[in-house]
Amino acid sequence: MNHTVKDAAFLPFEPLKQTNSVINEPRLVRWLLIAAALGFLSLFLLLPLLSVFVEALRKGAGAYFAAFADPETLASIKLTFIAAAIAVPLNLVFGLSAAWAITKFEFRGKQLLITMIDLPFSVSPVVAGLIFVLIFGAQGWAQPWFGDHIGKVLFSTPGIVLATIFVTFPFIARELIPLMQEQGTEDEQAALSLGATGWQTFTRVTLPNIKWALLYGVLLCNARAMGEFGAVSVVSGHIRGLTNTMPLHIEILYNEYQFVSAFAVASLLALLAMVTLAVKSFLEWRYADQLAATRRH
Amino acid sequence: MPGLTPTLGFTLFYLGLIVLIPLAGVFFKASGLGFAGLWKVITSERVLAALSLSFGAAAIAAVLNAVFGTIVAWVFVRYEFPGKRLFDAFIDLPFALPTAVAGIALTALYSENGWIGSVLAHAGIKVAYTPLGIIVAMTFIGLPFVVRTVEPVLREVERDLEEAAATLGARRWQTVLRVIAPAVFPSLVTGFALSFARAVGEYGSVIFIAGNFPMVSEIAPLLIIIKLEEFDYKGATAVAATMLVLSFLLLLTINLLQAWVRRRV
């Protein structure tokens, strides 16, 4: 990432510059490859994003803003924020402690633990919702006790929060683990030998070392938490104004042919995605060396 | 180092509570059906059609992503062109854009009066509400996986080696095929597998554009939801367990294949 940024800053636009012809492709091939890549990206990424805003504004700004006056829309926005506000901090605490245990110590079964943490990524969101229906549904094995002592889980906010936690489970941990593995334990050992407590070592040495990767993980986790559809759809029960998150509300509006309202709510989530991408690009550009080098997500 | 007990303890507790115990419940519930019962559900015509559609469309989408993802990674690593930084940021859009938003946007684009759909309609190609639409949505969702796994490996390829190959008389295409391709191939397999796994389970971006006609464009995750809405919990669990097992088996196969490729290279 940082290589291209630096190269781009110092080189003028010269895609056809023949620096060393034996290790470069012919002009025509280069142009064709660039055209194919940008054509593919435009068709599959830029056009869909653009169309969200075009469809939302199809009937003018008045119709666009009217979509947000609907109390059910406002309720869905509120529920989305509540779910993310619970799921993200919990997964943050988990990500920090998992990364600490995995990267600062040696123990058997570590690789297996890392694989397990990644599990939610390879599970279909619908299956993720299903597992909570099996536990808390009408015939679920935990429902008799929960129903008596805690209250309803499925078709209410707790179920939505649980499903959201499940699908966003690995995000922060997997952002931190490769970076902290690379950084090793020397800094912490030094702090401890100078008399710092474990907590002081964590807050004053480890945390500053990983803060940008942590922010990056939180951003991706939050984007997924607010946008999750499949898992939440299974556990929500679609009670309007009560258990609909923004993505579920978009589905209802869309199926009722209220396209402007559907795309208006969608445009809020699209804006969130664009802010996420912008901050992410900024972090990669500014703090490339402090983010994990081996990243997939 | 302090803190092993609390951090590892919390990690295992939280992992067990949120992921392992709930997931184990699927297999526990599915085992209640017995092998014969399970077999009956998954060999029913509608379930077989849904499973083969989900896995088949995901495979085609992953192949498309492997081809174009490699081209995108190549172009971003090797060439300079205007707008490169902007395009680079947008590659991760499918990670950040909620699937339901992607779903309605793709449907608007590819339906018969949409920007792309109307052009294709002239050529007699119908994308929205057909299996083609499912492939389009799955390609969107899996796009960043190949690019982001191939890109760093391609960046590490030493240009000295390419110069050496050229000096020894290799043509450019021979260098690309014999020097660069073997180095990049294992990461391409990983990217393919990740993209495939994501597409198989994808729901939100697919259901809007799919049309959801039973036996034709009904994906397996949707069938799980339909069975749940009919209170057929056992049927839903059987389909879910089958999907989980098939996905794990495929990922395992691909991992083994990758290890084999690494040994040979």
Side-chain angles (χ1 to χ4, degrees):
Chain A
M1 185 73 208
N2 52 335
H3 298 293
T4 55
V5 168
K6 278 174 196 153
D7 293 346
F10 292 109
L11 282 175
F13 167 54
E14 280 185 273
L16 308 178
K17 195 175 154 197
Q18 292 271 354
T19 44
N20 187 345
S21 66
V22 295
I23 56 163
N24 272 311
E25 293 72 46
R27 245 165 194 270
L28 184 68
V29 174
R30 273 183 279 172
W31 271 121
L32 282 177
L33 287 175
I34 291 177
L38 298 191
F40 181 73
L41 292 180
S42 307
L43 206 63
F44 278 94
L45 298 181
L46 293 190
L47 277 182
L49 184 64
L50 189 64
S51 81
V52 172
F53 295 98
V54 171
E55 296 287 336
L57 293 166
R58 188 165 285 260
K59 293 190 179 148
Y64 178 81
F65 288 109
F68 300 111
D70 180 10
E72 281 167 6
T73 302
L74 293 176
S76 75
I77 295 174
K78 193 177 152 202
L79 182 58
T80 299
F81 275 91
I82 291 173
I86 300 172
V88 175
L90 277 175
N91 285 338
L92 173 68
V93 174
F94 164 73
L96 283 171
S97 54
W100 182 269
I102 286 170
T103 62
K104 305 294 177 198
F105 302 96
E106 287 305 325
F107 52 88
R108 287 180 67 175
K110 193 195 256 187
Q111 202 52 47
L112 182 70
L113 181 60
I114 297 177
T115 309
M116 296 278 200
I117 291 174
D118 271 349
L119 261 184
F121 274 148
S122 48
V123 172
S124 168
V126 170
V127 177
L130 170 81
I131 61 180
F132 293 108
V133 173
L134 292 181
I135 299 172
F136 299 110
Q139 307 161 355
W141 50 268
Q143 189 49 35
W145 187 84
F146 264 88
D148 293 346
H149 294 85
I150 294 179
K152 210 160 84 164
V153 177
L154 214 57
F155 311 136
S156 70
T157 311
I160 290 168
V161 171
L162 266 179
T164 307
I165 292 175
F166 182 94
V167 292
T168 56
F169 184 87
F171 277 93
I172 296 171
R174 77 173 306 164
E175 213 52 63
L176 294 181
I177 292 169
L179 177 67
M180 285 170 67
Q181 251 161 0
E182 221 172 76
Q183 290 177 342
T185 58
E186 282 170 21
D187 291 359
E188 283 82 3
Q189 301 282 16
L192 288 168
S193 70
L194 292 172
T197 65
W199 182 250
Q200 284 173 326
T201 308
F202 172 72
T203 52
R204 302 214 189 143
V205 177
T206 310
L207 218 46
N209 276 341
I210 59 168
K211 62 184 174 207
W212 298 118
L214 190 66
L215 176 60
Y216 190 100
V218 167
L219 270 174
L220 289 180
C221 184
N222 180 62
R224 181 69 193 267
M226 289 192 165
E228 178 49 29
F229 180 71
V232 170
S233 172
V234 174
V235 297
S236 120
H238 305 275
I239 307 164
R240 302 184 73 148
L242 275 180
T243 64
N244 271 339
T245 59
M246 284 163 81
L248 298 180
H249 194 57
I250 292 172
E251 184 192 24
I252 288 185
L253 292 170
Y254 187 84
N255 288 341
E256 287 174 349
Y257 303 103
Q258 301 189 45
F259 294 128
V260 169
S261 302
F263 279 101
V265 180
S267 73
L268 279 192
L269 288 171
L271 276 178
L272 172 76
M274 288 168 74
V275 171
T276 304
L277 291 181
V279 178
K280 175 182 168 300
S281 300
F282 175 76
L283 288 181
E284 281 175 346
W285 168 67
R286 181 75 182 77
Y287 303 104
D289 48 329
Q290 295 176 45
L291 289 164
T294 48
R295 183 187 311 118
R296 276 184 198 161
H297 289 275
Chain B
M1 293 293 279
L4 176 64
T5 315
T7 54
L8 189 61
F10 178 70
T11 301
L12 293 176
F13 168 76
Y14 191 72
L15 178 72
L17 193 73
I18 302 284
V19 178
L20 298 184
I21 296 172
L23 259 185
V26 173
F27 293 102
F28 182 72
K29 182 89 177 174
S31 69
L33 278 166
F35 185 73
L38 200 65
W39 188 251
K40 199 174 156 230
V41 173
I42 60 177
T43 51
S44 79
E45 242 186 323
R46 194 172 171 189
V47 173
L48 274 184
L51 284 172
S52 44
L53 176 65
S54 275
F55 282 84
I60 296 173
V63 169
L64 276 177
N65 277 329
V67 173
F68 284 97
T70 309
I71 295 178
V72 170
W74 176 272
V75 163
F76 276 83
V77 171
R78 292 290 171 102
Y79 307 147
E80 290 302 327
F81 49 89
K84 183 170 165 177
R85 291 255 303 272
L86 190 72
F87 272 103
D88 188 58
F90 272 111
I91 288 174
D92 289 318
L93 183 71
F95 289 150
L97 192 71
T99 53
V101 177
I104 62 171
L106 288 170
T107 313
L109 273 182
Y110 284 91
S111 68
E112 272 175 23
N113 45 15
W115 294 340
I116 303 175
S118 57
V119 178
L120 291 174
H122 278 296
I125 304 168
K126 208 169 168 299
V127 176
Y129 318 122
T130 72
L132 262 186
I134 299 177
I135 295 172
V136 167
M138 286 178 169
T139 308
F140 169 86
I141 213 71
L143 198 155
F145 289 100
V146 174
V147 182
R148 293 306 185 212
T149 38
V150 170
E151 212 179 7
V153 180
L154 200 55
R155 214 180 288 287
E156 294 297 309
V157 173
E158 303 212 14
R159 307 219 67 170
D160 295 358
L161 285 178
E162 292 172 44
E163 267 173 22
T167 319
L168 294 170
R171 309 291 291 264
R172 183 61 189 157
W173 62 268
Q174 286 175 317
T175 310
V176 171
L177 221 60
R178 302 253 178 98
V179 177
I180 303 174
V184 172
F185 191 68
S187 70
L188 181 60
V189 175
T190 308
F192 174 87
L194 290 171
S195 159
F196 177 81
R198 175 71 205 264
V200 164
E202 181 54 21
Y203 175 70
S205 58
V206 174
I207 52 151
F208 293 98
I209 200 171
N212 308 326
F213 304 110
M215 310 292 298
V216 179
S217 57
E218 186 179 68
I219 53 167
L222 177 66
L223 197 55
I224 293 176
I225 289 196
I226 291 173
K227 285 186 181 293
L228 275 180
E229 281 168 356
E230 292 167 351
F231 299 105
D232 178 10
Y233 285 20
K234 285 182 174 165
T237 312
V239 180
T242 312
M243 282 186 73
L244 284 176
V245 170
L246 282 178
S247 301
F248 290 154
L249 281 180
L250 268 163
L251 287 182
L252 189 70
T253 315
I254 288 168
N255 272 334
L256 291 175
L257 189 78
Q258 205 184 6
W260 181 74
V261 169
R262 282 228 167 91
R263 270 201 308 276
R264 282 179 59 99
V265 169

